Amino acid sequence: MGDRKAFVVGISGASSSGKTTLARLLRDVFPNTFILHEDDFYKPETELPSKDGLLDWDCAESISIPDMARALAYIREHGTFPPFVDSKEDQNSIGACPVSDAAIAAAKAKVASWASPGQPGHSILHSRSSPLRICVLDGFLLYSPELEAGGVPALLDTKLFLLVSRERATQRRERRDGYVTLEGFWTDPPGYVDKIVWPNYVASHAGLFQGGDVEGKLDEKVLKEKGIEAQIGRGVDLDMEETFNWTVETVMRRLEEFGGKR
């Protein structure tokens, strides 16, 4: 681990489960942190598959998995954003932050104290020839069978999985203006969530849940085997502030485990 330049945090879950919001908050709370988005690896629109007469942006076939794995390997080795990746995702609006300013300030203070001289985080983040960088990768397919086959989860040091109900995910997604793409701007056509987004999410993630019910209970045995962490037994529509605090605590703990292996 001594030659590693970056610690990679994966945040996955259904579209509109809060991944990008959390990624941006972690970037604000932890030092030396930057974001890589799964959406940075979309293929050109002309290469996207179609489903039910609609372009399908929400499947593994729409993503260049080898390019994502290459980018993660570069980050782990160099600790910097890959020069061959042109990020569009950070241009997208995600609406008002659902986490209070007080909670964000408290998390910043907690991490700053943890990373100060004499505290556990200091030796992990600062006592090196160069500071350890933290990369947060957010994406809706990080733990899918297709990305697993492409070696992506193996390049993540922490795998966080966010839960959301179909109803809430649909409400959040429909409130969005759209998405910046290589070609310009994409707006969901009518019925896109029901025909594309949610069925694809179910198909790619049923294996993580008991009985394949993605709004039911997680399969803890499967999560443990895959090294995925989630807020087990808390339901599917958690308060984002609670999820934020859980995420910060989990990243700190995993960084300590990472430091202990070096």
Side-chain angles (χ1 to χ4, degrees), residues 78-212:
H78 299 281
T80 57
F81 195 88
F84 49 84
V85 175
D86 179 21
S87 181
K88 301 291 185 187
E89 173 60 25
D90 256 0
Q91 300 174 37
N92 287 325
S93 171
I94 53 175
C97 181
V99 178
S100 69
D101 290 344
I104 297 169
K108 285 182 179 179
K110 187 172 192 174
V111 170
S113 175
W114 173 79
S116 64
Q119 298 303 309
H122 188 265
S123 61
I124 299 164
L125 297 178
H126 301 299
S127 296
R128 312 159 53 93
S129 57
S130 60
L132 180 71
R133 301 293 303 279
I134 298 172
C135 170
V136 183
L137 169 65
D138 83 274
F140 61 95
L141 283 170
L142 300 187
Y143 317 136
S144 66
E146 296 88 348
L147 268 70
E148 194 168 18
V152 169
L155 296 169
L156 306 176
D157 296 298
T158 300
K159 304 170 194 171
L160 307 180
F161 185 55
L162 307 184
L163 301 176
V164 70
S165 66
R166 178 175 186 158
E167 181 181 5
R168 183 171 291 186
T170 301
Q171 290 172 349
R172 289 176 176 172
R173 176 115 183 187
E174 289 179 347
R175 284 200 298 262
R176 291 186 176 181
D177 297 330
Y179 303 85
V180 177
T181 69
L182 291 171
E183 291 78 16
F185 196 76
W186 161 267
T187 302
D188 287 348
Y192 186 77
V193 174
D194 288 334
K195 292 181 179 179
I196 305 289
V197 176
W198 195 257
N200 286 5
Y201 170 65
V202 172
S204 295
H205 296 86
L208 301 181
F209 293 82
Q210 295 180 24

